Amino acid sequence: MPPQRAKSAFMYYQSDHLAEIKRSLGGSMGEAMTALSAQWKSLSDAEKRPYFEREEVDRERYNRECAEADAAAFKAQQERLAMNSMPNEGEDMVASSRGARGRVDAERAEREAYERQRKKELRDALTPEEREERRAAKAAKKAEVLERQRKRDEEEAAVEARHKKLDREASKKMEDRLKYLMGQSEIFARLKAGKKRLEGDSEEEKKEGEYKFSGWRCR
């Protein structure tokens, strides 16, 4: 099993805060990711430093595990080569190794020569009509591959456009939500200030009434 790739600093920040942001917003995962990305960008270097330190530790772990895996693979390869190059009883080691390599090279060259000859015989046996049909089929296959590639490119472009649109919509919804919350805060602040003014006016009226009543009694 290959080593697990190292996490980035942002991925550690995401692991720590994504669930909390999604729960507080109550929206979709796209909205939560947009808010998370905005929060990450707003952090200072000092606030990001712990996450970059975790990234560095994980990167060292990944590099170490990759080196160990490469060493193990190289060791296994060397053991296989050693087993394949072991001489028979009474056979010289160098001569055996050279002989084994020579046999492998000769077998490969023989197979390649056979394949070339077989393809040549098949081509020579074709009639002009069959050759034209084969050429047309090859051209049609190439055109089909190009058409599939074009459609795949269009689909990828459409998906990317949809993602960008969703990101814009999520950002707009979040901006509207923030504006709404700020507006609500301003309304509550105004109501509270108005209540205080009303309470102050009532207190002044009460004092004024007590003063008038006291003056009437003096007369």
Side-chain angles (χ1 to χ4, degrees):
M1 184 176 180
Q4 184 178 4
R5 295 190 65 85
K7 290 183 178 181
S8 65
F10 177 74
M11 292 175 68
Y12 280 110
Y13 184 80
Q14 175 181 330
S15 299
D16 291 346
H17 299 283
L18 180 59
E20 178 185 354
I21 291 175
K22 188 175 185 302
R23 186 168 54 254
S24 63
L25 290 178
S28 65
M29 182 60 70
E31 293 176 343
M33 285 299 297
T34 301
L36 179 75
S37 179
Q39 283 191 9
W40 171 256
K41 292 178 180 178
S42 66
L43 295 180
S44 65
D45 293 340
E47 291 172 325
K48 291 181 179 179
R49 187 176 299 114
Y51 299 99
F52 280 109
E53 290 175 353
R54 292 167 69 181
E55 174 187 340
E56 184 64 25
V57 171
D58 198 33
R59 191 174 302 280
E60 291 176 358
R61 185 270 312 163
Y62 175 72
N63 292 335
R64 182 178 63 255
E65 292 180 358
C66 285
E68 293 172 353
D70 292 342
F74 179 77
K75 181 180 179 181
Q77 182 184 26
Q78 293 301 310
E79 291 174 351
R80 287 195 300 270
L81 291 174
M83 290 294 295
N84 293 333
S85 62
M86 287 294 291
N88 297 325
E89 185 177 355
E91 190 177 19
D92 181 73
M93 174 70 78
V94 176
S96 175
S97 178
R98 290 175 179 173
R101 286 198 301 271
R103 286 193 299 272
V104 171
D105 293 341
E107 290 174 359
R108 182 171 60 249
E110 184 178 353
R111 285 195 304 270
E112 292 175 353
Y114 172 76
E115 289 295 329
R116 288 194 299 269
Q117 181 63 26
R118 189 175 67 87
K119 290 179 180 180
K120 183 177 183 301
E121 291 175 355
L122 290 175
R123 286 195 303 269
D124 294 341
L126 293 175
T127 64
E129 291 78 9
E130 289 174 335
R131 291 178 183 175
E132 178 61 24
E133 183 180 350
R134 179 168 291 190
R135 186 198 64 77
K138 186 180 293 186
K141 185 176 181 180
K142 183 177 180 181
E144 183 181 353
V145 171
L146 292 175
E147 179 64 17
R148 285 201 301 269
Q149 181 64 43
R150 185 187 65 80
K151 289 182 179 180
R152 185 159 52 246
D153 293 342
E154 290 180 352
E155 290 173 357
E156 291 177 356
V159 170
E160 184 178 359
R162 285 198 296 271
H163 286 172
K164 290 181 178 179
K165 182 180 178 182
L166 290 174
D167 289 341
R168 289 195 299 269
E169 291 176 352
S171 298
K172 183 65 169 57
K173 288 180 180 179
M174 183 167 295
E175 183 180 352
D176 293 342
R177 184 179 179 86
L178 289 174
K179 288 181 179 178
Y180 170 77
L181 293 175
M182 291 177 65
Q184 293 295 312
S185 299
E186 292 178 359
I187 291 173
F188 288 140
R190 291 173 182 173
L191 289 174
K192 190 173 182 180
K195 183 179 179 181
K196 288 183 177 179
R197 285 197 299 271
L198 289 174
E199 291 175 351
D201 293 343
S202 299
E203 188 66 25
E204 290 293 330
E205 291 175 357
K206 182 178 179 181
K207 290 181 178 180
E208 183 178 352
E210 291 177 352
Y211 175 76
K212 289 180 178 180
F213 179 73
S214 174
W216 177 77
R217 290 180 62 184
C218 289
R219 288 194 301 268

